[in-house]
Amino acid sequence: MRLSSSSRQLIIISLSCLILAACNHFKAKDTNEKKSQVTGPKKKFTVKLPTDWIRKISDRKSVTASKDGSEYQLIRVSYLSHKKSFKTIKEKSNADMLPSELAELMIAKIRKSKLTRYARIIENKPASIGGKKGFRLKLSFKSPRGEKYLREVYGVTAKKGNYFIIYQAPAKRYFKQHKGDFNKTLESFRLSKKTKQF
Amino acid sequence: MHIFKVKSLFTLTSVLLTSLLFFQTSLALKSTSNFNEEYTSKLQEQALLDEAREFDKKKIKDNSIFTDKTVNQYLQSVMNKVYPEFKDKIRVRILNDPNLNALALYNGSIYFNLGLLARLDNEAQLATILAHEGAHFIHKHILHHRRKLKLESEIQVQKGAGDRAVDIAAKYLSGFSRDLERQADKYAFFRMKKAGYDIRQSPYAFKKMLAEAKANNSKQSGSFSSHPNLIERIASYNALILKHKSISGHIGKEAYLKNTQSMRIADLELNLSYARYGSLILILENKEQFVKYPAYAPYYLGEAYRQRNQQGDQTKSYLAYLDTINKVPNFAPSYRAIGIYYMKKKRYQDAKKSFIKFLALAPNHKDAAYVLQYLANIRNK
């Protein structure tokens, strides 16, 4: 069966469009200050992401942003229910948990992941997240290629679930370079609903 | 007649020549096939060596090695005692891993998990595991195992069973076959006996692992810690003991406890950070095990109960903290822990006293910032 040249062209264009659509996981860069504010899944939080970063409002759980690709720098803000937050370690959190207790569970979750199994916990301290009391973890780990990465994890518990804000980048150059952008994101984080404090 | 003779001679010569040619060709083919097999084998061995070297490099880099000198030197000395002809060539390293496992690589690197090391009682039990892993290395079990899997995988691909081939490929990372494990048991047993160890200790190491595997409902296929593997190891060693008359020998309990002291608390902390509360409770609720730990060990039991948080666990944790305070009054973490307990029970005055005591004992403790926050929270209560 021979296809006419116009049909072939049409198929090629359609396929190209499909490929391009599949590749376009992240939304286009936008430099508009107003548009840098993002509302999280299920309207659980609002956060301002760096304006020139590419962002992805992925599933029903998180908002992710990166400037050059997740290998170079990554910010992820997520909301997970108490039931789902620590599913990988078969544990459940609750609204009455202290920040230090939530951090303990997060460390166990970090240890469960193959990538961060042997991560070194550099810091585990209380922190304020969106005006609420939470925790801040700083850890270092090696990627499968042997490159050293640094990760900061902020977490706060609420009535029905937990909020986590993660910043991760290679220790050499990138982490320091974009830490300022992340700090602004962290400061802009707001919980949309009232959270129960212990 | 003459012509006939010449013709016969010609036919005979041709037949002889053809046979010779055929014979030589088959010889050449056979030698080519042998060469190919040898070449493939060398390639496989090289690949395994490269893989092992990569693994070593990765482990050294990624913070996964437990670096305490005393413990490391002790393990190496036991390995050298069991395999003196391979002195320091079979290199033992300890992994910061609470899971009960050990593994041997093709280049003679043996990795011993901290969790497994902490469960053993004496040197003879340690020698059992080291001798077993050493046997895998000496008998090139990894090579046999991979070849078998490759063959099975190829047969399945030829049959068109793609998924089955994928399953087999996944087994590349799993443990050895029953035959290879039995061979390792037998050889390890012989080596332990030769090194003068009490061979009756050999099944105990596996019995401990089985108890722990049951407590954690471990389903790690292929690894030491899977139930069928352990049951078989115990049966295999028991059968070997029955066959031998002279079974007594060196146990080395004191040397073991002395040389491995530093890793015991490290293992408890590791279990907590991996949320392996069941394992920690299993160790410290066992009176025989408990004596191997320092006097402040009940604090870790309390932490395991608090974090597990099942019915009745909070009271158990409280009692464990009190026990620690009674035994070691200057051990700061107990005051932080009991302070949190009081705070949750709304006994704010008791909580304040405990937090203040904690800060007085350990002002620079890693949890001091949290304790200051908690004190601020209950200041007006």
Side-chain angles (χ1 to χ4, degrees), chain A residues 18-68:
Chain A
L18 271 174
I19 291 166
L20 280 172
C23 293
N24 186 24
H25 276 304
F26 288 99
K27 285 192 173 178
K29 285 185 187 186
D30 78 70
T31 49
N32 190 328
E33 182 66 27
K34 271 186 185 174
K35 281 183 181 176
S36 72
Q37 180 151 319
V38 173
T39 305
K42 294 182 187 171
K43 294 181 183 174
K44 290 282 181 185
F45 60 85
T46 57
V47 70
K48 276 182 188 171
L49 293 168
T51 47
D52 56 342
W53 286 32
I54 302 164
R55 62 182 190 240
K56 177 190 171 192
I57 305 171
S58 60
D59 33 35
R60 275 170 279 168
K61 292 177 279 184
S62 63
V63 171
T64 311
S66 179
K67 187 179 167 71
D68 309 300

Side-chain angles (χ1 to χ4, degrees), chain B residues 65-100:
Chain B
I65 305 286
F66 181 72
T67 51
D68 184 283
K69 246 187 177 178
T70 314
V71 190
N72 276 283
Q73 280 173 355
Y74 176 62
L75 256 71
Q76 190 62 53
S77 74
V78 176
M79 181 56 106
N80 291 345
K81 199 173 164 184
V82 179
Y83 292 105
E85 71 274 40
F86 287 95
K87 195 183 172 197
D88 294 334
K89 280 179 187 157
I90 305 181
R91 178 85 166 80
V92 190
R93 292 185 183 92
I94 305 164
L95 278 182
N96 276 320
D97 195 320
N99 293 299
L100 275 65

Side-chain angles (χ1 to χ4, degrees), chain A residues 44-99:
Chain A
K44 290 282 181 185
F45 60 85
T46 57
V47 70
K48 276 182 188 171
L49 293 168
T51 47
D52 56 342
W53 286 32
I54 302 164
R55 62 182 190 240
K56 177 190 171 192
I57 305 171
S58 60
D59 33 35
R60 275 170 279 168
K61 292 177 279 184
S62 63
V63 171
T64 311
S66 179
K67 187 179 167 71
D68 309 300
S70 55
E71 270 181 57
Y72 301 99
Q73 69 284 105
L74 174 89
I75 293 175
R76 178 171 290 146
V77 188
S78 55
Y79 170 80
L80 291 163
S81 67
H82 287 303
K83 204 177 165 187
K84 286 182 180 170
S85 286
F86 301 101
K87 211 177 171 184
T88 52
I89 53 165
K90 294 173 190 160
E91 294 290 332
K92 279 179 197 167
S93 52
N94 61 67
D96 296 325
M97 274 189 145
L98 299 170

Side-chain angles (χ1 to χ4, degrees), chain A residues 89 91 94 96-101 103-105 107-109 111-112 117-120 124-127 133-137 142-146 198, chain B residues 58-59 61-65 95-99 113 270 272-275 277 303 306-309 336 340 343-344 366-367 369-370 373-374 377 381:
Chain A
I89 53 165
E91 294 290 332
N94 61 67
D96 296 325
M97 274 189 145
L98 299 170
S100 60
E101 291 175 321
E104 283 165 354
L105 284 181
I107 291 171
K109 191 176 175 179
R111 295 264 177 255
K112 190 77 182 173
R117 190 175 180 81
Y118 301 109
R120 197 162 67 86
N124 176 4
K125 284 192 170 154
K133 283 165 190 154
F135 71 83
R136 170 184 183 261
L137 288 176
K142 292 269 172 74
S143 74
R145 285 187 200 163
F198 74 89
Chain B
K58 198 180 163 224
K59 289 294 152 196
K61 273 185 185 173
D62 73 2
N63 193 35
S64 54
I65 305 286
L95 278 182
N96 276 320
D97 195 320
N99 293 299
N113 283 4
L270 212 55
L272 274 181
S273 79
Y274 275 74
Y277 314 126
E303 284 292 270
R306 175 181 66 81
Q307 291 183 45
R308 190 176 71 170
N309 201 21
R336 178 195 60 91
I340 290 175
M343 189 169 72
K344 287 197 167 183
K366 62 180 173 63
D367 291 328
Y370 279 119
Q373 189 191 56
Y374 300 147
N377 289 340
K381 287 179 178 170

Side-chain angles (χ1 to χ4, degrees), chain B residues 20-37:
Chain B
L20 193 71
L21 193 70
F22 180 75
F23 181 66
Q24 279 201 333
T25 314
S26 69
L27 263 183
L29 278 172
K30 204 176 173 185
S31 98
T32 314
S33 142
N34 280 345
F35 174 76
N36 279 343
E37 265 178 35

Side-chain angles (χ1 to χ4, degrees), chain B residues 132 178 181-182 185 202-214 218 220 223-240:
Chain B
H132 183 95
R178 286 178 166 193
E181 289 290 1
R182 261 186 235 125
D185 289 341
S202 47
Y204 284 103
F206 298 101
K207 278 179 187 171
K208 281 175 183 297
M209 288 157 76
L210 182 65
E212 178 115 353
K214 279 179 182 169
S218 166
Q220 298 172 48
S223 74
F224 249 159
S225 44
S226 69
H227 296 197
N229 240 345
L230 288 168
I231 290 166
E232 202 166 299
R233 297 285 68 66
I234 295 164
S236 169
Y237 276 101
N238 279 333
L240 287 164

